[in-house]
Amino acid sequence: MAKKVGVILSGCGVFDGAEIHESVITMLALDRRGAEMVLCAPDISQLHVVNHLTGAVEEGASRNVLVEAARIARGVIRDVAQVSAGELDALILPGGFGAAKNLCDFAVAGPDCTVHPEVARLVREVHAQGKPVAAECIAPALLAKLLGEEAPQLTIGNDPATAGALEKMGARHIACPVRDFVVDRERKLISTPAYMLAERISEAAAGIEKAVDALLEMA
C-alpha cells in the first residue's frame, strides 16, 4: 500500500511563501517513490507580500497562504486544519521564508516565535503517533520550537546565528552540507539544508531526495 505523506506548504514564492523549487522537488521525489501526497496549508493571510522581481514588500497588498499554495498544488490542496495525523504515515515541510513567516513567526521573533496552532497540532500529533517528520531549509526551526524539550537533532546547514537560535529553543544543531541530511532516528526527525546552502537547484535536490528516502523508510 502506498505511503500517505502530508506536505505542509506556506504560500508560493521563496521570499514570502513556500520555496517553489523545494516544494516541487519534494513532490516529485514522493511521487517517483509511489507515495500519496496530502498537500495542505493554513487558511490565513501571509505576513506580507514581496515583489519577487525587486525584493521589495508591496505595502497594502494581501494574499492568502492556502490560495497561494494552491498554485504549487495545481488546486489539489486542503486547509491544514482539516488534516488529521491518523490519515498520514509521515509529514514533510518544505522551506522558504513562508515557513518562518506564515507557518510560524521565527523570521520576526527568532527563538521567541510561535507556531500557527493548526500547523503545531498536526506536527505534534504526527510526532506523538511515532510517525516521521521531515523539514527542509529553514523549516527545522519550526520543529525546534515545537519539540525542543526533546532536544532533537536538526540541521539548517551551517549558519551560526540560525543554528544558535535553534539551540536556544532546545535543539541540538548538526552542521550538514547541502547535498546531505541529518536523521534523528530516536525521534524520527529528518532535516536537510536545501536553499539555506544550495547555489543551484541540483544541490537542493540531492539533499531533499535523500531526506524523502529516509522519511519513507521510517514511515
Side-chain angles (χ1 to χ4, degrees):
M1 184 178 294
K3 300 290 177 64
K4 201 168 183 179
V5 181
V7 182
I8 303 181
L9 300 177
S10 57
C12 181
V14 57
F15 299 130
D16 58 12
E19 213 296 320
I20 296 172
H21 293 181
E22 292 176 4
S23 301
V24 173
I25 291 164
T26 299
M27 293 162 62
L28 180 60
L30 288 168
D31 185 63
R32 280 179 167 167
R33 289 154 179 79
E36 179 182 347
M37 287 172 279
V38 177
L39 302 172
C40 59
D43 186 7
I44 56 173
S45 295
Q46 295 181 183
L47 172 66
H48 54 207
V49 176
V50 175
N51 181 320
H52 279 60
L53 185 61
T54 66
V57 173
E58 296 187 352
E59 299 298 338
S62 177
R63 294 185 184 180
N64 178 279
V65 173
L66 180 59
V67 172
E68 290 300 295
R71 295 176 180 272
I72 297 174
R74 293 174 59 86
V76 183
I77 193 166
R78 293 161 59 186
D79 182 348
V80 69
Q82 299 172 355
V83 179
S84 68
E87 65 185 284
L88 303 176
D89 296 302
L91 185 67
I92 189 165
L93 293 83
F97 276 101
K101 291 180 177 179
N102 303 326
L103 302 186
C104 68
D105 60 356
F106 178 78
V108 176
D112 296 322
C113 64
T114 57
V115 180
H116 182 276
E118 290 297 339
V119 173
R121 172 197 59 80
L122 186 58
V123 171
R124 284 188 169 126
E125 287 180 358
V126 169
H127 181 64
Q129 291 180 13
K131 298 169 181 176
V133 179
E136 305 162 10
C137 191
I138 194 59
L142 186 152
L143 298 187
K145 184 64 179 182
L146 293 178
L147 307 174
E149 69 278 1
E150 299 181 30
Q153 294 183 25
L154 297 167
T155 191
I156 48 79
N158 57 22
D159 178 67
T162 308
L166 265 65
E167 292 181 339
K168 285 183 180 178
M169 293 187 284
R172 291 172 290 164
H173 184 265
I174 309 297
C176 178
V178 64
R179 295 179 178 272
D180 211 342
F181 66 106
V182 166
V183 178
D184 185 330
R185 292 200 173 274
E186 180 181 350
R187 296 162 189 82
K188 293 188 176 181
L189 301 176
I190 301 144
S191 48
T192 187
Y195 273 104
M196 287 294 290
L197 291 178
E199 296 182 355
R200 52 197 301 174
I201 190 170
S202 59
E203 291 181 344
I208 291 171
E209 288 170 358
K210 291 175 184 176
V212 168
D213 281 337
L215 183 76
L216 293 177
E217 176 192 345
M218 289 184 179

